[in-house]
Every structure is written in C-alpha cells, then in structure tokens.
Amino acid sequence: MVHSLSMTQIQTFLMVAETLNFRRAAERLAVAQPALSRSVRRLEQHLGFALFERSTRRVALTPAGELLYREGADALQCLSRACTRAERVAQGLSGSIMVGYSTFATAGPMSDIIIAFRKQYPDALVGLRLLASSEQSAALEEGSLDLGFIMSTVCLPPLEKIAISRERLVALVPASHRWARRKSITLSELAATPLVIGTVGRWRGFRSLLRDTFDARGLSMTFAEEADDLPVLLQLVRSGFGCTILDASFIPTLPPGICSVEIEDVTATLDVALTWHQDNLSPLAGRFINVARRIASAS
C-alpha cells in the first residue's frame, strides 16, 4: 500500500503535522484549504488509520501520526538529499570516473589536469589504473575505463582523443658512460650500443615507435636487458647494463647516476593523448575532457 503514496501526499501531511493548522498549512503550500483537507483524508483512507484528531478547537496528531511525522520527515530529507546527489551526478558535477594511464603519461601534464579537475569538481572522485596503452584501448572499448592517457599512435577508431603532450626522444646513459659528457649522439651510435628496454607486454607501443624510428634509417636495435616497469629499467641503466631511450619529460625526475643526451638526428616524438570512447562517455568524464583541453592548450 505504501509504495503507491505520492510525494505530494507526504509533503501535505508533513506540513499539517508541523503547523497543526489546516489553514496555515494550506497557505504555506499555496493550495486551497478544502483541497488540502481532502488530500489528508485520502491519505488516511489509503493507510487505513487516522493521522489527526480534529475538533472545532484544535488539531492534534494521533500516536500513529506522530510516528509517521517523526520518521517521515527524516525519510523525506534523505530522499531530498539523494535526489540532489543524483542530479549532480546526472549533470557531471559529482560521482566517480576511472582513468587509465601509461608510464609515459606520468611525467607530463596528467597530474596538473587531475589536480585542476578535482579543484573545480571537489565532489568528484578520480580512480587511477596503471596500464599499457594497448591495455587501455581494450578497457576503454569495453567500458571498464572512462578515460585513458595513452600514446597517440595506439589510439585508433572508434576511440577519440585530444593531444596532451609531445616530447622529443633522448638517450639516457650511466654517469660513467663515455657519452655522459657529450651534448648529443647519433642514432647510428645508439644502434651500435646495447639498449635496456621495456618488455613487449607493457611497452609494446613505445617499442614500435623506436623500431619504426630505427627502421627509417636502415638501422636496428640491440637489447641488453628488458624491464617491466620504469624504476627497474632506470636502475639497470644506472648500474651500467646498457643505455636506453625515453622521452624528454623524464629528464627532471632522473635519479642520480643517469645523464640525458640529445639524439641529434631523430625527429620522431612521443605523443600522449587523452582518449575515450564516445559511447561510454559520462557527463563527469566529459567535464574532465574539458579541463584537459584547457590545461593542454595552455601548456
């Protein structure tokens, strides 16, 4: 029986219960007093018990009416708060989004975008998942990710994207290496040197970029070691296992014992994009994209 009660009936009852005066309640609700009285009578008939004791001198709540007033007011406040929160989610003002990111996004403007987004939308939550660019592409299409910071070359239709950063490629060498005091080296010199590189499973897109860069000059790479994540890769370089190639955004965060050297004859860049699938785009994710556009255009 209760499930068919209307919001208007509940609000009418609560106003009469608050004022204990049908005329005053009707004025506050901006309705005619006879209509308000009929609404209360229909509610009592619907429930099967009286809510008010009426006399020519006073209106009082019955014990059942007192209980309904006390708990009904709390329930209405909860419902009102829930409706407000739901409206903010629908408008993209709160809620949560899951954002993927690759290793190559960590040193770029990704953190600035997330911080600016959280400041503008403090009720929003941003979950982060470290995934290879290829893994993010699959997750975006299936809907387990809302957005992803990935290499632009991996972003293919139906995914959409905006450019976030573009960085030149540099060589990273141990501080004891003969190249550490040089300003630049050539790609052919790198081709003759064993490289430490990320694994195929986690660095597929970047390895493809390097392979294409070397192939374009008729050169090939020689690998000394492979590492699954960046800290291990840098530790291998610092320990002298080989040199590596990364984008220039990592230079400010390099640990002691590693030097960066320019590659003078390479024009290829590592481009990071914010990527999404339009069919899975929520209002909140759309607002994240707008913040990213603003930050990217200013950088």
Side-chain angles (χ1 to χ4, degrees):
M1 295 289 286
V2 174
H3 69 275
S4 61
L5 296 179
S6 71
M7 183 70 72
T8 300
Q9 285 179 307
I10 297 299
Q11 290 173 326
T12 298
F13 161 73
L14 292 176
M15 183 58 70
V16 176
E18 178 183 336
T19 61
L20 294 178
N21 187 297
F22 279 75
R23 178 184 57 79
R24 193 174 300 123
E27 290 174 353
R28 290 189 182 183
L29 293 173
V31 299
Q33 182 175 336
L36 181 140
S37 298
R38 286 194 297 273
S39 178
V40 171
R41 282 197 299 272
R42 283 196 295 269
L43 177 60
E44 290 176 318
Q45 292 169 357
H46 184 88
L47 293 173
F49 52 82
L51 297 171
F52 296 100
E53 295 175 351
R54 304 167 179 84
S55 70
T56 56
R57 293 185 177 183
R58 62 188 290 269
V59 174
L61 285 164
T62 65
E66 288 180 359
L67 178 63
L68 185 60
Y69 174 54
R70 184 172 61 252
E71 299 193 7
D74 291 340
L76 194 61
Q77 288 181 353
C78 290
L79 180 59
S80 178
R81 287 194 296 268
C83 289
T84 299
R85 290 197 297 268
E87 182 181 19
R88 290 180 62 79
V89 170
Q91 293 174 346
L93 299 174
S94 67
S96 63
I97 54 175
M98 182 60 67
V99 179
Y101 68 99
S102 69
T103 298
F104 298 100
T106 57
M110 180 184 76
S111 58
D112 293 336
I113 293 170
I114 294 172
I115 291 170
F117 175 76
R118 288 300 311 277
K119 285 182 178 179
Q120 188 169 346
Y121 303 102
D123 293 334
L125 298 177
V126 179
L128 296 171
R129 291 179 62 191
L130 175 60
L131 295 169
S133 293
S134 56
E135 293 173 325
Q136 289 187 59
S137 295
L140 287 164
E141 290 205 41
E142 70 182 21
S144 58
L145 280 184
D146 296 291
L147 301 156
F149 288 92
I150 71 176
M151 289 180 58
S152 293
T153 53
V154 181
C155 180
L156 302 173
L159 298 182
E160 300 187 35
K161 65 182 177 181
I162 57 172
I164 296 299
S165 64
R166 170 169 289 181
E167 298 287 349
R168 69 189 188 280
L169 299 178
V170 297
L172 302 184
V173 304
S176 59
H177 197 277
R178 65 184 185 278
W179 294 341
R181 288 177 291 276
R182 288 177 56 177
K183 290 184 177 180
S184 65
I185 57 176
T186 64
L187 196 64
S188 60
E189 288 179 292
L190 280 168
T193 301
L195 297 176
V196 177
I197 195 168
T199 59
V200 174
R202 298 302 302 273
W203 295 56
R204 185 185 306 275
F206 185 64
R207 287 172 67 120
S208 296
L209 174 64
L210 294 185
R211 185 180 62 249
D212 293 344
T213 300
F214 278 81
D215 287 349
R217 297 292 301 277
L219 302 170
S220 59
M221 295 178 286
T222 302
F223 302 141
E225 292 286 347
E226 295 185 355
D228 201 45
D229 59 17
L230 183 63
V232 175
L233 186 148
L234 293 178
Q235 181 60 43
L236 289 172
V237 172
R238 184 169 59 178
S239 300
F241 282 86
C243 303
T244 194
I245 302 172
L246 284 179
D247 72 76
S249 67
F250 289 101
I251 293 176
T253 62
L254 289 177
I258 298 178
C259 299
S260 64
V261 183
E262 297 294 323
I263 308 172
E264 60 190 49
D265 54 348
V266 169
T267 59
T269 58
L270 190 145
D271 302 341
V272 172
L274 177 64
T275 311
W276 66 93
H277 195 297
Q278 189 64 40
D279 291 347
N280 301 326
L281 190 65
S282 68
L284 186 61
R287 292 185 184 273
F288 188 96
I289 293 169
N290 291 337
V291 172
R293 281 198 175 98
R294 187 179 74 246
I295 299 296
S297 63
S299 60

